[in-house]
Amino acid sequence: MPLGNQKTVEVRKMQTQYDLTKAQYRQFAPWYDAFAAPALKVRCRNQAVSLLGLRVGDVVVDAACGTGGSFPLIEEAIGPTGYLIGVEVTPEMLRKA
């Protein structure tokens, strides 16, 4: 298979995986906060945000922000002069953020 065709096949596989993942998170959105979010907050969120070393006035891009579960911790760290930008490919998750 020529290299160009191989790359096309790989891109299609990646797009298919992206579409499948997005569909799963769209279905997951309505109950994400009730089931997944509390466990994540207890186990990971505080530690993850503290490891960022955020300061008042920082700008933060939360990629794959989901329902915004880390937003309160980030907002507390960056204060009123900071900016928080949430990026999420799943509209259902972002609406809850």
Side-chain angles (χ1 to χ4, degrees):
M1 174 182 309
L3 185 59
N5 290 342
Q6 188 176 11
K7 285 186 178 182
T8 300
V9 169
E10 289 301 315
V11 168
R12 285 186 183 146
K13 285 181 185 177
M14 289 172 51
Q15 184 62 44
T16 300
Q17 183 60 44
Y18 168 80
D19 291 338
L20 289 172
T21 302
K22 188 174 176 182
Q24 289 172 336
Y25 274 92
R26 291 180 90 161
Q27 292 176 343
F28 192 42
W31 48 272
Y32 179 81
D33 287 330
F35 293 98
L40 286 173
K41 184 175 182 182
V42 170
R43 294 182 191 157
C44 303
R45 283 201 171 117
N46 289 328
Q47 184 179 7
V49 172
S50 69
L51 288 172
L52 295 172
L54 298 173
R55 297 177 305 215
V56 172
D58 278 351
V59 176
V60 177
V61 176
D62 187 347
C65 68
T67 60
S70 296
F71 286 1
L73 298 170
I74 294 169
E75 290 171 333
E76 183 180 333
I78 63 175
T81 59
Y83 289 93
L84 172 56
I85 303 162
V87 179
E88 177 56 51
V89 299
T90 311
E92 291 81 0
M93 295 286 255
L94 192 56
R95 271 195 287 278
K96 297 184 93 173

Coordinates of all heavy atoms in Angstrom, one line a residue:
M1 N 0.9 -1.2 0.0 CA 0.0 0.0 0.0 C 0.9 1.2 0.0 O 1.8 1.4 0.8 CB -0.9 0.0 1.2 CG -1.7 1.2 1.4 SD -2.8 1.2 2.9 CE -3.6 -0.3 2.9
P2 N 0.7 2.2 -0.9 CA 1.5 3.4 -0.9 C 1.3 4.2 0.4 O 0.2 4.1 1.0 CB 0.9 4.2 -2.1 CG 0.2 3.2 -3.0 CD -0.2 2.1 -2.0
L3 N 2.3 4.9 0.8 CA 2.3 5.6 2.0 C 1.1 6.6 2.2 O 0.5 6.7 3.2 CB 3.6 6.4 2.2 CG 3.8 7.1 3.5 CD1 3.8 6.1 4.7 CD2 5.1 7.8 3.5
G4 N 0.7 7.3 1.1 CA -0.4 8.2 1.1 C -1.7 7.5 1.5 O -2.5 8.0 2.3
N5 N -1.9 6.3 0.9 CA -3.1 5.5 1.2 C -3.1 5.0 2.7 O -4.1 5.0 3.3 CB -3.2 4.3 0.3 CG -3.6 4.8 -1.1 OD1 -4.0 5.9 -1.4 ND2 -3.3 3.9 -2.1
Q6 N -1.9 4.7 3.1 CA -1.8 4.2 4.5 C -2.2 5.3 5.5 O -2.9 5.1 6.5 CB -0.4 3.7 4.8 CG -0.2 3.0 6.1 CD 1.2 2.4 6.3 OE1 2.1 2.7 5.5 NE2 1.3 1.6 7.3
K7 N -1.7 6.5 5.2 CA -2.1 7.7 6.1 C -3.5 7.9 6.1 O -4.1 8.2 7.1 CB -1.3 8.9 5.7 CG 0.2 8.9 6.1 CD 0.9 10.2 5.8 CE 2.3 10.1 6.2 NZ 3.0 11.4 6.0
T8 N -4.2 7.8 4.9 CA -5.6 8.0 4.8 C -6.4 7.0 5.6 O -7.3 7.4 6.3 CB -6.0 7.9 3.3 OG1 -5.3 8.9 2.5 CG2 -7.5 8.1 3.1
V9 N -5.9 5.8 5.6 CA -6.6 4.7 6.4 C -6.4 5.1 7.9 O -7.4 4.9 8.6 CB -6.0 3.3 6.1 CG1 -6.5 2.3 7.1 CG2 -6.4 2.9 4.6
E10 N -5.3 5.5 8.3 CA -5.0 5.8 9.7 C -5.9 7.0 10.1 O -6.5 7.0 11.2 CB -3.6 6.1 10.0 CG -2.7 4.9 9.9 CD -3.1 3.9 10.9 OE1 -3.3 4.2 12.1 OE2 -3.1 2.7 10.5
V11 N -6.0 8.0 9.3 CA -6.9 9.2 9.6 C -8.3 8.7 9.7 O -9.0 9.2 10.7 CB -6.7 10.3 8.5 CG1 -7.8 11.4 8.7 CG2 -5.3 10.9 8.6
R12 N -8.8 7.9 8.9 CA -10.2 7.4 8.9 C -10.4 6.6 10.2 O -11.4 6.7 10.9 CB -10.5 6.5 7.7 CG -10.7 7.3 6.5 CD -11.2 6.5 5.3 NE -11.3 7.3 4.2 CZ -11.0 6.9 2.9 NH1 -10.7 5.6 2.7 NH2 -11.2 7.7 1.9
K13 N -9.4 5.8 10.6 CA -9.5 5.0 11.9 C -9.6 6.0 13.1 O -10.4 5.8 14.0 CB -8.3 4.1 12.1 CG -8.4 2.9 11.2 CD -7.1 2.0 11.5 CE -7.1 0.8 10.6 NZ -5.8 0.0 10.8
M14 N -8.8 7.0 13.0 CA -8.8 8.0 14.1 C -10.2 8.7 14.2 O -10.7 9.0 15.2 CB -7.7 9.0 14.0 CG -6.3 8.4 14.2 SD -4.9 9.5 13.8 CE -5.4 11.0 14.6
Q15 N -10.7 9.1 13.0 CA -12.0 9.8 12.9 C -13.1 8.9 13.5 O -14.0 9.3 14.2 CB -12.3 10.2 11.5 CG -13.6 11.0 11.4 CD -13.6 12.3 12.2 OE1 -12.6 13.1 12.2 NE2 -14.6 12.6 12.9
T16 N -13.0 7.6 13.1 CA -14.0 6.7 13.6 C -14.0 6.5 15.1 O -15.0 6.6 15.8 CB -13.8 5.3 12.9 OG1 -14.0 5.4 11.5 CG2 -14.8 4.3 13.4
Q17 N -12.8 6.4 15.7 CA -12.6 6.3 17.1 C -13.1 7.6 17.8 O -13.8 7.6 18.8 CB -11.2 6.1 17.5 CG -10.9 5.9 19.0 CD -11.7 4.7 19.5 OE1 -11.8 3.6 18.9 NE2 -12.4 4.9 20.7
Y18 N -12.8 8.8 17.2 CA -13.3 10.0 17.7 C -14.8 10.1 17.8 O -15.4 10.5 18.8 CB -12.7 11.2 16.9 CG -13.3 12.5 17.1 CD1 -12.9 13.3 18.2 CD2 -14.3 13.0 16.3 CE1 -13.5 14.5 18.5 CE2 -14.9 14.3 16.6 CZ -14.5 15.0 17.6 OH -15.1 16.2 17.9
D19 N -15.4 9.7 16.7 CA -16.9 9.7 16.6 C -17.5 8.7 17.6 O -18.5 9.1 18.3 CB -17.4 9.3 15.2 CG -17.0 10.4 14.1 OD1 -16.8 11.6 14.5 OD2 -17.0 10.0 13.0
L20 N -16.9 7.6 17.8 CA -17.4 6.6 18.8 C -17.3 7.2 20.2 O -18.2 7.1 21.0 CB -16.7 5.3 18.7 CG -17.0 4.4 17.4 CD1 -16.0 3.3 17.4 CD2 -18.4 3.9 17.5
T21 N -16.1 7.7 20.5 CA -15.9 8.3 21.8 C -16.8 9.5 22.1 O -17.4 9.6 23.2 CB -14.4 8.8 22.0 OG1 -13.6 7.7 21.7 CG2 -14.1 9.3 23.3
K22 N -17.0 10.3 21.1 CA -17.9 11.4 21.3 C -19.4 11.0 21.6 O -20.1 11.5 22.4 CB -17.9 12.3 20.0 CG -18.7 13.6 20.2 CD -18.4 14.5 18.9 CE -19.3 15.7 19.0 NZ -19.1 16.6 17.8
A23 N -19.8 9.9 20.8 CA -21.1 9.4 21.0 C -21.3 8.8 22.4 O -22.3 9.0 23.1 CB -21.4 8.3 20.0
Q24 N -20.2 8.1 22.9 CA -20.3 7.6 24.3 C -20.4 8.7 25.3 O -21.2 8.6 26.2 CB -19.1 6.8 24.6 CG -19.0 5.5 23.8 CD -17.7 4.7 23.9 OE1 -16.7 5.4 24.2 NE2 -17.7 3.4 23.7
Y25 N -19.7 9.8 25.2 CA -19.8 10.9 26.1 C -21.1 11.6 26.0 O -21.6 12.1 27.0 CB -18.6 11.8 26.0 CG -17.4 11.3 26.8 CD1 -16.4 10.5 26.3 CD2 -17.3 11.6 28.2 CE1 -15.4 10.0 27.0 CE2 -16.2 11.1 28.9 CZ -15.3 10.4 28.3 OH -14.3 9.9 29.1
R26 N -21.7 11.7 24.9 CA -23.0 12.3 24.7 C -24.0 11.5 25.5 O -24.9 12.1 26.2 CB -23.4 12.4 23.3 CG -22.5 13.3 22.5 CD -23.0 13.4 21.0 NE -24.0 14.4 21.0 CZ -24.3 15.0 19.8 NH1 -23.8 14.7 18.7 NH2 -25.2 16.0 19.9
Q27 N -23.9 10.2 25.5 CA -24.9 9.4 26.3 C -24.6 9.5 27.8 O -25.4 9.4 28.6 CB -24.8 7.9 25.8 CG -25.3 7.7 24.4 CD -25.1 6.3 23.9 OE1 -24.4 5.5 24.5 NE2 -25.9 5.9 22.9
F28 N -23.3 9.6 28.1 CA -22.8 9.7 29.5 C -23.2 11.0 30.2 O -23.3 11.0 31.4 CB -21.3 9.5 29.4 CG -20.6 9.2 30.7 CD1 -21.1 8.3 31.6 CD2 -19.4 9.8 30.9 CE1 -20.4 8.0 32.8 CE2 -18.7 9.5 32.1 CZ -19.2 8.6 33.0
A29 N -23.3 12.1 29.4 CA -23.5 13.4 30.0 C -24.6 13.6 31.0 O -24.3 14.2 32.1 CB -23.7 14.4 28.9
P30 N -25.8 13.0 30.8 CA -26.9 13.3 31.8 C -26.6 12.8 33.2 O -27.1 13.4 34.2 CB -28.1 12.5 31.2 CG -27.8 12.4 29.8 CD -26.3 12.3 29.7
W31 N -25.8 11.7 33.4 CA -25.6 11.2 34.7 C -24.1 11.3 35.1 O -23.7 10.7 36.2 CB -26.1 9.8 34.8 CG -25.7 8.9 33.7 CD1 -26.4 8.7 32.6 CD2 -24.6 8.0 33.7 NE1 -25.8 7.8 31.8 CE2 -24.7 7.3 32.5 CE3 -23.6 7.7 34.6 CZ2 -23.7 6.4 32.1 CZ3 -22.6 6.8 34.2 CH2 -22.7 6.1 33.0
Y32 N -23.3 11.9 34.4 CA -21.8 12.0 34.7 C -21.6 12.6 36.0 O -20.8 12.0 36.8 CB -21.1 12.9 33.6 CG -19.6 13.0 33.8 CD1 -18.8 12.0 33.5 CD2 -19.1 14.2 34.4 CE1 -17.4 12.2 33.7 CE2 -17.8 14.3 34.7 CZ -16.9 13.3 34.3 OH -15.6 13.4 34.5
D33 N -22.2 13.7 36.4 CA -21.9 14.4 37.6 C -22.3 13.5 38.8 O -21.7 13.5 39.9 CB -22.6 15.7 37.7 CG -22.0 16.8 36.8 OD1 -20.7 16.7 36.6 OD2 -22.7 17.6 36.3
A34 N -23.4 12.8 38.7 CA -23.9 12.0 39.8 C -23.0 10.7 40.1 O -22.9 10.3 41.2 CB -25.3 11.5 39.5
F35 N -22.4 10.2 39.1 CA -21.7 8.9 39.3 C -20.1 9.1 39.1 O -19.4 8.6 40.0 CB -22.2 7.9 38.3 CG -23.6 7.4 38.6 CD1 -24.6 8.0 37.9 CD2 -23.8 6.6 39.6 CE1 -25.9 7.6 38.2 CE2 -25.1 6.2 39.9 CZ -26.2 6.7 39.2
A36 N -19.7 9.7 38.1 CA -18.2 9.7 37.8 C -17.6 10.9 38.5 O -16.5 10.8 39.1 CB -17.9 9.8 36.3
A37 N -18.2 12.1 38.5 CA -17.6 13.3 39.0 C -17.2 13.2 40.5 O -16.1 13.6 40.9 CB -18.4 14.5 38.7
P38 N -18.0 12.7 41.4 CA -17.6 12.7 42.8 C -16.4 11.8 43.1 O -15.5 12.2 43.8 CB -18.8 12.1 43.5 CG -20.0 12.4 42.7 CD -19.4 12.3 41.3
A39 N -16.3 10.7 42.4 CA -15.1 9.8 42.6 C -13.9 10.5 42.1 O -12.8 10.5 42.7 CB -15.3 8.5 41.9
L40 N -14.0 11.2 41.0 CA -12.8 11.9 40.4 C -12.4 13.0 41.3 O -11.2 13.2 41.5 CB -13.2 12.4 39.0 CG -13.2 11.4 37.9 CD1 -13.7 12.1 36.6 CD2 -11.9 10.8 37.7
K41 N -13.4 13.8 41.9 CA -13.0 14.9 42.7 C -12.2 14.4 43.9 O -11.2 15.0 44.3 CB -14.2 15.7 43.1 CG -13.9 16.9 43.9 CD -15.2 17.7 44.2 CE -14.8 19.0 45.0 NZ -15.9 19.8 45.4
V42 N -12.7 13.4 44.6 CA -12.1 12.9 45.8 C -10.7 12.3 45.5 O -9.8 12.6 46.2 CB -13.0 11.7 46.4 CG1 -12.2 11.0 47.5 CG2 -14.3 12.3 46.9
R43 N -10.6 11.6 44.4 CA -9.3 11.0 44.1 C -8.3 11.8 43.4 O -7.1 11.7 43.7 CB -9.5 9.7 43.3 CG -10.3 8.6 44.0 CD -10.4 7.5 43.0 NE -11.4 6.5 43.6 CZ -12.1 5.6 42.9 NH1 -11.9 5.5 41.6 NH2 -12.9 4.8 43.5
C44 N -8.7 12.7 42.5 CA -7.8 13.3 41.6 C -7.8 14.8 41.5 O -6.8 15.4 41.3 CB -8.0 12.8 40.2 SG -7.9 11.0 40.1
R45 N -9.0 15.4 41.5 CA -9.1 16.8 41.1 C -8.3 17.7 42.0 O -7.5 18.6 41.4 CB -10.5 17.2 41.1 CG -11.3 16.8 39.9 CD -12.5 17.6 39.6 NE -13.0 17.2 38.4 CZ -14.2 16.6 38.2 NH1 -15.0 16.4 39.2 NH2 -14.6 16.2 37.0
N46 N -8.4 17.7 43.3 CA -7.6 18.6 44.1 C -6.1 18.4 43.9 O -5.4 19.4 43.7 CB -7.9 18.3 45.6 CG -9.3 18.8 46.0 OD1 -9.8 19.7 45.5 ND2 -9.9 18.0 46.9
Q47 N -5.6 17.2 43.8 CA -4.2 17.0 43.5 C -3.8 17.5 42.1 O -2.8 18.2 42.0 CB -3.8 15.5 43.6 CG -2.4 15.3 43.5 CD -2.0 13.8 43.6 OE1 -2.9 13.0 43.7 NE2 -0.7 13.5 43.6
A48 N -4.6 17.2 41.1 CA -4.3 17.6 39.8 C -4.2 19.1 39.6 O -3.3 19.7 39.1 CB -5.3 17.1 38.8
V49 N -5.2 19.8 40.2 CA -5.2 21.3 40.1 C -4.0 21.9 40.9 O -3.4 22.8 40.5 CB -6.5 21.9 40.6 CG1 -6.5 23.4 40.7 CG2 -7.6 21.4 39.6
S50 N -3.7 21.3 42.1 CA -2.6 21.8 42.8 C -1.3 21.6 42.1 O -0.4 22.5 42.2 CB -2.5 21.2 44.2 OG -2.2 19.9 44.2
L51 N -1.1 20.6 41.4 CA 0.1 20.3 40.6 C 0.3 21.3 39.5 O 1.4 21.5 39.0 CB 0.1 18.9 40.1 CG 0.3 17.8 41.1 CD1 0.1 16.4 40.4 CD2 1.7 17.8 41.7
L52 N -0.7 22.0 39.1 CA -0.6 23.0 38.0 C 0.1 24.2 38.5 O 0.7 25.0 37.7 CB -2.0 23.4 37.5 CG -2.8 22.3 36.8 CD1 -4.2 22.8 36.5 CD2 -2.1 21.9 35.5
G53 N 0.2 24.4 39.8 CA 0.9 25.6 40.3 C 0.3 26.9 39.8 O 1.0 27.9 39.5
L54 N -1.1 27.0 39.8 CA -1.8 28.2 39.3 C -1.6 29.3 40.3 O -1.5 29.1 41.5 CB -3.2 27.8 39.1 CG -3.6 26.8 38.1 CD1 -5.1 26.4 38.1 CD2 -3.1 27.2 36.7
R55 N -1.6 30.5 39.7 CA -1.5 31.8 40.5 C -2.6 32.7 40.1 O -3.2 32.6 39.0 CB -0.2 32.4 40.2 CG 1.0 31.6 40.7 CD 2.3 32.3 40.3 NE 2.3 32.6 38.9 CZ 3.4 32.6 38.1 NH1 4.5 32.3 38.6 NH2 3.3 32.9 36.8
V56 N -2.9 33.6 41.0 CA -3.9 34.6 40.7 C -3.6 35.3 39.4 O -2.5 35.7 39.1 CB -4.1 35.6 41.8 CG1 -5.0 36.8 41.5 CG2 -4.5 34.9 43.1
G57 N -4.6 35.4 38.5 CA -4.4 36.1 37.2 C -4.0 35.2 36.1 O -4.0 35.6 34.9
D58 N -3.8 33.9 36.3 CA -3.4 33.0 35.3 C -4.6 32.7 34.3 O -5.7 32.9 34.7 CB -3.0 31.6 35.9 CG -1.6 31.6 36.3 OD1 -0.8 32.5 36.1 OD2 -1.2 30.6 37.0
V59 N -4.2 32.3 33.1 CA -5.2 31.9 32.1 C -5.1 30.4 32.0 O -4.0 29.9 31.8 CB -4.9 32.6 30.7 CG1 -5.8 32.1 29.7 CG2 -5.0 34.1 30.8
V60 N -6.2 29.7 32.1 CA -6.2 28.3 32.0 C -7.2 27.8 30.9 O -8.3 28.3 30.8 CB -6.7 27.7 33.4 CG1 -6.8 26.2 33.3 CG2 -5.9 28.1 34.5
V61 N -6.7 26.9 30.1 CA -7.5 26.2 29.1 C -7.7 24.8 29.6 O -6.8 24.0 29.8 CB -6.9 26.2 27.7 CG1 -7.8 25.4 26.7 CG2 -6.7 27.6 27.2
D62 N -9.0 24.4 30.0 CA -9.3 23.1 30.4 C -9.8 22.3 29.2 O -11.0 22.4 28.8 CB -10.3 23.2 31.5 CG -10.6 21.8 32.2 OD1 -10.2 20.8 31.6 OD2 -11.3 21.8 33.2
A63 N -8.9 21.6 28.6 CA -9.3 20.8 27.4 C -10.0 19.5 27.8 O -9.5 18.9 28.8 CB -8.0 20.5 26.6
A64 N -11.0 19.2 27.2 CA -11.9 18.0 27.5 C -12.4 18.3 28.9 O -12.3 17.4 29.8 CB -11.1 16.7 27.4
C65 N -13.0 19.4 29.1 CA -13.5 19.9 30.5 C -14.7 19.1 31.0 O -15.0 19.2 32.1 CB -13.7 21.4 30.5 SG -15.1 21.9 29.5
G66 N -15.3 18.4 30.1 CA -16.5 17.6 30.5 C -17.6 18.5 31.0 O -17.9 19.5 30.4
T67 N -18.1 18.3 32.2 CA -19.1 19.1 32.8 C -18.6 20.2 33.7 O -19.3 20.9 34.4 CB -20.1 18.2 33.6 OG1 -19.4 17.6 34.7 CG2 -20.8 17.2 32.8
G68 N -17.3 20.4 33.6 CA -16.7 21.5 34.4 C -16.4 21.2 35.8 O -16.3 22.1 36.6
G69 N -16.2 20.0 36.1 CA -16.0 19.6 37.5 C -14.8 20.2 38.2 O -14.8 20.4 39.4
S70 N -13.8 20.5 37.4 CA -12.6 21.2 38.0 C -12.7 22.7 38.0 O -11.8 23.4 38.6 CB -11.4 20.8 37.2 OG -11.2 19.4 37.3
F71 N -13.7 23.3 37.4 CA -13.8 24.7 37.3 C -13.8 25.4 38.7 O -13.0 26.4 38.8 CB -15.1 25.1 36.6 CG -15.1 24.9 35.1 CD1 -14.0 24.4 34.5 CD2 -16.2 25.3 34.4 CE1 -14.0 24.2 33.1 CE2 -16.2 25.1 33.0 CZ -15.1 24.5 32.4
P72 N -14.5 25.0 39.7 CA -14.5 25.7 41.0 C -13.0 25.7 41.6 O -12.6 26.8 42.1 CB -15.4 24.9 41.9 CG -16.3 24.2 41.0 CD -15.5 23.9 39.8
L73 N -12.3 24.6 41.5 CA -11.0 24.6 42.0 C -10.0 25.5 41.2 O -9.2 26.2 41.8 CB -10.4 23.2 42.0 CG -11.2 22.1 42.8 CD1 -10.7 20.7 42.5 CD2 -11.0 22.5 44.3
I74 N -10.2 25.5 39.9 CA -9.3 26.4 39.1 C -9.7 27.8 39.3 O -8.8 28.7 39.5 CB -9.5 26.0 37.6 CG1 -9.0 24.6 37.3 CG2 -8.9 27.0 36.7 CD1 -9.4 24.0 36.0
E75 N -11.0 28.1 39.4 CA -11.4 29.5 39.6 C -10.9 30.0 41.0 O -10.5 31.2 41.1 CB -12.9 29.6 39.5 CG -13.5 29.5 38.1 CD -15.0 29.4 38.1 OE1 -15.6 28.9 39.1 OE2 -15.5 29.7 37.0
E76 N -10.9 29.2 42.0 CA -10.4 29.6 43.3 C -8.9 29.9 43.2 O -8.4 30.9 43.8 CB -10.6 28.5 44.3 CG -10.1 28.8 45.7 CD -10.4 27.6 46.7 OE1 -11.3 26.8 46.4 OE2 -9.6 27.6 47.6
A77 N -8.2 29.2 42.4 CA -6.7 29.4 42.3 C -6.4 30.6 41.5 O -5.4 31.3 41.8 CB -6.1 28.1 41.7
I78 N -7.1 30.9 40.4 CA -6.8 32.0 39.5 C -7.4 33.3 39.9 O -7.0 34.4 39.4 CB -7.1 31.7 38.0 CG1 -8.6 31.4 37.8 CG2 -6.3 30.5 37.6 CD1 -9.0 31.2 36.3
G79 N -8.4 33.2 40.8 CA -9.0 34.4 41.3 C -9.8 35.2 40.3 O -10.0 34.8 39.1
P80 N -10.3 36.3 40.6 CA -11.2 37.1 39.8 C -10.5 37.7 38.6 O -11.2 38.1 37.6 CB -11.8 38.2 40.7 CG -10.8 38.3 41.8 CD -10.2 37.0 42.0
T81 N -9.2 37.8 38.6 CA -8.5 38.4 37.5 C -8.0 37.4 36.5 O -7.4 37.7 35.4 CB -7.3 39.2 38.0 OG1 -6.4 38.4 38.7 CG2 -7.7 40.4 38.8
G82 N -8.2 36.1 36.8 CA -7.8 35.0 35.9 C -8.9 34.7 34.9 O -10.0 35.2 35.0
Y83 N -8.5 33.9 33.9 CA -9.5 33.5 32.9 C -9.5 32.0 32.8 O -8.4 31.3 32.8 CB -9.1 34.1 31.5 CG -9.3 35.5 31.4 CD1 -8.3 36.4 31.7 CD2 -10.5 36.0 31.0 CE1 -8.5 37.8 31.6 CE2 -10.7 37.4 30.9 CZ -9.7 38.3 31.2 OH -9.9 39.6 31.1
L84 N -10.6 31.4 32.7 CA -10.8 30.0 32.5 C -11.6 29.7 31.2 O -12.7 30.2 31.1 CB -11.5 29.4 33.7 CG -12.0 27.9 33.6 CD1 -10.8 27.0 33.4 CD2 -12.7 27.5 34.9
I85 N -11.0 28.9 30.4 CA -11.6 28.6 29.1 C -11.8 27.1 29.1 O -10.9 26.3 29.2 CB -10.7 29.0 27.9 CG1 -10.4 30.5 28.0 CG2 -11.3 28.6 26.6 CD1 -9.2 30.9 27.2
G86 N -13.1 26.7 29.0 CA -13.4 25.3 28.9 C -13.6 24.8 27.5 O -14.3 25.5 26.7
V87 N -13.0 23.7 27.1 CA -13.1 23.2 25.7 C -13.6 21.8 25.8 O -13.0 21.0 26.5 CB -11.7 23.2 25.0 CG1 -11.9 22.6 23.6 CG2 -11.1 24.6 24.9
E88 N -14.7 21.5 25.1 CA -15.3 20.2 25.2 C -16.0 19.9 23.8 O -16.7 20.8 23.3 CB -16.4 20.1 26.3 CG -17.1 18.9 26.4 CD -16.3 17.6 26.6 OE1 -15.4 17.6 27.4 OE2 -16.6 16.7 25.8
V89 N -15.8 18.7 23.3 CA -16.3 18.4 22.0 C -17.8 17.9 22.1 O -18.5 17.8 21.1 CB -15.5 17.4 21.2 CG1 -14.1 17.9 20.9 CG2 -15.4 16.0 21.9
T90 N -18.2 17.5 23.3 CA -19.5 17.0 23.5 C -20.4 18.1 24.0 O -20.3 18.5 25.1 CB -19.5 15.8 24.5 OG1 -18.4 14.9 24.1 CG2 -20.8 15.1 24.5
P91 N -21.4 18.5 23.1 CA -22.2 19.6 23.5 C -23.0 19.4 24.8 O -23.2 20.2 25.6 CB -23.2 19.8 22.4 CG -22.5 19.2 21.2 CD -21.7 18.1 21.8
E92 N -23.4 18.1 25.0 CA -24.2 17.8 26.2 C -23.4 17.9 27.5 O -23.9 18.3 28.5 CB -24.7 16.3 26.1 CG -25.8 16.1 25.1 CD -25.2 16.0 23.6 OE1 -24.0 16.0 23.4 OE2 -26.0 15.8 22.7
M93 N -22.1 17.6 27.4 CA -21.2 17.8 28.6 C -21.0 19.3 28.8 O -21.1 19.8 29.9 CB -19.9 17.1 28.4 CG -20.0 15.6 28.3 SD -20.4 14.9 29.9 CE -18.8 14.2 30.3
L94 N -20.7 20.0 27.8 CA -20.4 21.5 27.9 C -21.6 22.3 28.4 O -21.4 23.2 29.2 CB -19.9 22.0 26.5 CG -19.3 23.4 26.5 CD1 -18.1 23.5 27.4 CD2 -18.9 23.8 25.1
R95 N -22.8 21.9 28.0 CA -24.0 22.6 28.5 C -24.1 22.5 30.0 O -24.6 23.4 30.7 CB -25.2 22.0 27.9 CG -25.6 22.7 26.6 CD -27.0 22.3 26.2 NE -27.2 21.0 25.7 CZ -26.9 20.6 24.5 NH1 -26.5 21.4 23.6 NH2 -27.1 19.3 24.1
K96 N -23.5 21.5 30.6 CA -23.6 21.3 32.1 C -22.4 22.0 32.8 O -22.4 22.2 34.0 CB -23.6 19.8 32.4 CG -24.8 19.1 31.9 CD -24.8 17.7 32.3 CE -25.6 17.6 33.6 NZ -25.9 16.4 34.2
A97 N -21.4 22.4 32.0 CA -20.2 23.0 32.6 C -20.5 24.4 33.1 O -21.4 25.1 32.7 CB -19.1 23.1 31.5

